[in-house]
Each structure stands twice: as C-alpha cells, then as structure tokens.
C-alpha cells in the first residue's frame, strides 16, 4: 500500500459486541439507564480521513464517500445524518475549527445490527480529526463530544474493552481476556429506539448483577454461561431467528451465546482461537441468516 498523503490518517473502526447489557430503567430524558460491557472485535470498517484546519477558510466543509458491498452500504447515508459527518460537525463546533475534511469510509460492519458500526466510525473520525485539525482535545473532552453523537461512541473511543454506565457516557476500561467468537448477522436491521421501546412495553425487568461476568472476563473463569442481554427477549419475540441462531450456536458447540446490543446480531463464545462450531450447525446458521457467520476475535486487555 502506498504511504498516505500528508494530512491523512487511515484508521480502523472496530465493531463491538456486548458481553452483557443490563437495562436498569427509563430516565427523565427518555433514554435508559444501562450497564454494559462493550468489547471491540476484529470485524472493522476502515476510514481514510484527509483533513486540515485553516483559519483563512470562511466555512467548514466535510465530504463523505462510502464504499463496500452493496448490501452493506445501500442504507448508509452520505449526508449530515451519517454519524461520521455529525462527529466532524460537533468537533468543529466545539473547537471553532474552519477548514475541510474529506472522509472515505469503507464499510464491512452491517448497519442497525447491534454491532456499533456507525458509532465506531464516528469514534474513529473524532480521534483522527482531533489530530488533523489540531483541536487538542484530551480524551475526556473528546469522549464528551462523542457522547453527543451517540450513546455507544464514548465506549468505542476507549480502544479496548469498556464498561459503560448511565446512558453510555460513563465509561471505564476493564480487563478482559482475549475471546474467540462466532458472529451471526442477519439481512434485516433492528432500530435501537424500537428495541428499547419493546423493552419498556414488556415492563423489564433488569438482568442479574453483572459482577460474575466481569469477574469471569477478568480472570479467565467460566464466562459463557453468564452472558445476558435484557433487550434480547423483547427483540427475539419479534424476530424468532435470534432464538434459533442461539440454539444452533449452542448445539454446534459454542460455550455460550447472546444477542449483541439492540440486535439482531447474535454471537457465540468459542473455546479458543482454533475452535469452530460443528459443520452441520454452521451450515444451518448460514441457511438461517442467508450468509455464513464470521469467526472473529476480541483482543484481550489488562486495562
Ligand atoms: O444514543 P443513540 O442515538 O445511539 O440512541 C439511539 C436511541 O436508542 C435513543 O434515541 C433511545 O431511543 C435509545 N437509547 C436509550 N437508552 C440508551 C441508549 C439508547 O433509550 N442508554
């Protein structure tokens, strides 16, 4: 690959899965109080950000080009409704930057999948633009800008496993051992507001104390049996494929399986880097989802 031009950064924006997601209730601002463990995985989008700040500019201009498989990018907006553009505008607003940013986004992460693709793109763009525009925001300030873009953005700016609380904006790095996962994505999306509304309609309740999952994630203890996601039951009621994918993952030898985020993606935890689910189960999963599942890794962190 040729060396990137001056004023250009090429950055990865990893997808995430939630090892647990606990919804503690609704908040006065309409959001939900959460506790969730967010783990970046090896499935990633790629951004090439070419940008410069110049006080002689009278305006700020941001352009976005999106490439990738047709099915992945069909519904990805190119305008200011894209979280990447919103991130750039929010950073420029906060720091009074004038100049330009030309961003090329190569999508690998499905949208509206519960994998945090749009949020991770925004997180990566914010970090790159903070450097290229010379904004000089420190990590907490940059995360604050991220939090104004979306609830998952601050956790995805941590660059490793993160425990998120509040609406998602209160984040801390946590130690999690490396994990091998099988990720099942579907050709349909689930809107995050719908998933939370369905949880409201079902009347909760909140899941168990997450300390055992956190402890197992830290220590390398038995983790797979303690995965949970409070949004899973209400979403799976509307999309039975989710329960079926979980059943097939477990039947094929995954140690545990759960829906990620607001769904519909489901992932299984595997015994180790070379582990595969049994071939028949993998074929059934591919038939159910309309595409083969993805073997991915989540890097460990000692936080
Ligand atoms: O913050 P973000 O824009 O990603 O959230 C999308 C939607 O998901 C919100 O408008 C809200 O309906 C729901 N949500 C929530 N509580 C959270 C995060 C998201 O209710 N903590």
């Amino acid at each position: 690959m040729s060396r990137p031009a001056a004023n250009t950064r090429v950055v990865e924006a990893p997808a995430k899965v939630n090892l647990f997601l606990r919804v503690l209730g609704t908040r006065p601002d309409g959001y939900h109080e959460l506790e969730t463990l967010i783990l970046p995985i090896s499935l990633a989008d790629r951004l090439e950000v070419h940008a410069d700040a110049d006080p002689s500019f009278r305006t700020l201009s941001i352009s976005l080009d999106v490439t990738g498989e047709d099915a992945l990018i069909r519904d990805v907006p190119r305008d200011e409704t894209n979280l990447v553009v919103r991130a750039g505008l929010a950073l420029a607003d906060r720091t009074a930057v004038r100049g330009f940013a030309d961003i090329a986004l190569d999508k690998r992460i499905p949208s509206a999948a519960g994998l945090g693709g749009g949020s991770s793109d925004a997180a990566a763009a914010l970090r790159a633009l903070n450097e290229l525009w010379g904004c000089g925001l420190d990590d907490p300030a940059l995360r604050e800008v991220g939090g104004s873009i979306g609830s998952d953005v601050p956790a995805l700016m941590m660059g490793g496993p993160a425990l998120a609380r509040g609406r998602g904006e209160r984040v801390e790095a946590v130690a999690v051992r490396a994990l091998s996962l099988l990720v099942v994505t579907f050709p349909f999306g689930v809107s995050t507001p719908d998933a939370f509304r369905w949880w409201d309609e079902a009347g909760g309740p909140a899941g168990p104390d997450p300390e055992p999952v956190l402890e197992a994630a830290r220590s390398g203890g038995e983790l797979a049996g303690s995965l949970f996601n409070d949004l899973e039951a209400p979403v799976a009621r509307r999309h039975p494929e989710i329960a079926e994918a979980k059943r097939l993952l477990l039947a094929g030898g995954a140690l545990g399986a759960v829906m990620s985020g607001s769904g519909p993606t489901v992932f299984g935890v595997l015994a180790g880097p070379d582990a595969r689910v049994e071939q028949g189960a993998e074929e059934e999963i591919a038939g159910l989802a309309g595409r083969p599942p993805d073997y991915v890794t989540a890097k460990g962190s000692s936080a």
Side-chain angles (χ1 to χ4, degrees):
M1 202 170 84
S2 60
R3 232 155 54 103
N7 298 105
T8 300
R9 295 277 182 284
V10 177
V11 285
E12 295 252 298
K16 58 83 177 166
V17 295
N18 303 74
L19 281 190
F20 71 81
L21 191 156
R22 191 180 193 205
V23 187
L24 296 161
T26 46
R27 301 160 33 127
D29 62 6
Y31 283 84
H32 292 73
E33 193 72 12
L34 298 182
E35 228 175 347
T36 184
L37 178 51
I38 292 182
L39 202 64
I41 60 174
S42 51
L43 173 68
D45 291 342
R46 184 176 160 280
L47 285 85
E48 187 168 320
V49 183
H50 178 54
D52 204 1
D54 185 339
S56 70
F57 273 54
R58 295 177 57 174
T59 56
L60 171 82
S61 110
I62 300 181
S63 74
L64 176 67
D65 184 34
V66 184
T67 54
E69 266 176 44
D70 192 45
L72 284 181
I73 65 170
R74 206 177 294 135
D75 298 325
V76 176
R78 273 59 165 178
D79 61 10
E80 65 286 346
T81 59
N82 189 298
L83 296 189
V84 166
V85 179
R86 281 184 45 204
L89 292 173
L91 180 63
D93 195 43
R94 164 87 178 241
T95 57
V97 157
R98 279 169 298 166
F100 74 89
D102 294 328
I103 303 173
L105 169 60
D106 189 27
K107 289 294 295 177
R108 313 259 161 82
I109 309 171
S111 304
L115 289 169
S119 302
S120 189
D121 296 341
L126 274 178
R127 272 199 300 254
L129 289 172
N130 188 45
E131 265 189 59
L132 292 167
W133 280 342
C135 301
L137 292 191
D138 62 13
D139 285 350
L142 204 55
R143 281 202 296 274
E144 204 180 296
V145 178
S148 73
I149 306 302
S151 303
D152 280 341
V153 180
L156 286 161
M157 297 184 76
M158 298 290 283
L163 180 61
R165 294 200 176 90
R167 178 168 78 83
E169 78 287 5
R170 285 183 4 237
V171 290
E172 61 182 277
V174 288
V176 175
R177 72 179 193 274
L179 287 171
S180 301
L181 310 172
L182 185 57
V183 174
V184 184
T185 55
F186 295 96
F188 57 90
V190 169
S191 105
T192 304
D194 281 351
F196 280 101
R197 189 166 45 78
W198 296 336
W199 182 89
D200 288 339
E201 287 166 8
D209 178 356
E211 193 46 45
V213 196
L214 279 168
E215 180 47 35
R218 267 193 294 265
S219 66
E222 204 280 312
L223 169 83
S226 339
L227 308 170
F228 71 91
N229 181 341
D230 288 345
L231 296 174
E232 182 183 299
V235 176
R237 204 162 297 135
R238 275 86 180 174
H239 297 290
E241 298 91 332
I242 289 168
E244 182 59 8
K246 277 183 67 172
R247 189 188 68 74
L248 289 168
L249 282 166
L250 296 172
L255 305 177
V258 73
M259 186 180 84
S260 181
S262 49
T265 297
V266 172
F267 66 95
V269 174
L270 306 179
D274 300 323
R276 293 284 179 271
V277 298
E278 184 252 308
Q279 196 190 341
E282 191 176 320
E283 282 166 12
E284 279 194 69
I285 290 169
L288 175 74
R291 61 182 299 272
D294 294 304
Y295 286 93
V296 304
T297 53
K299 258 194 271 168
S301 145
S302 55

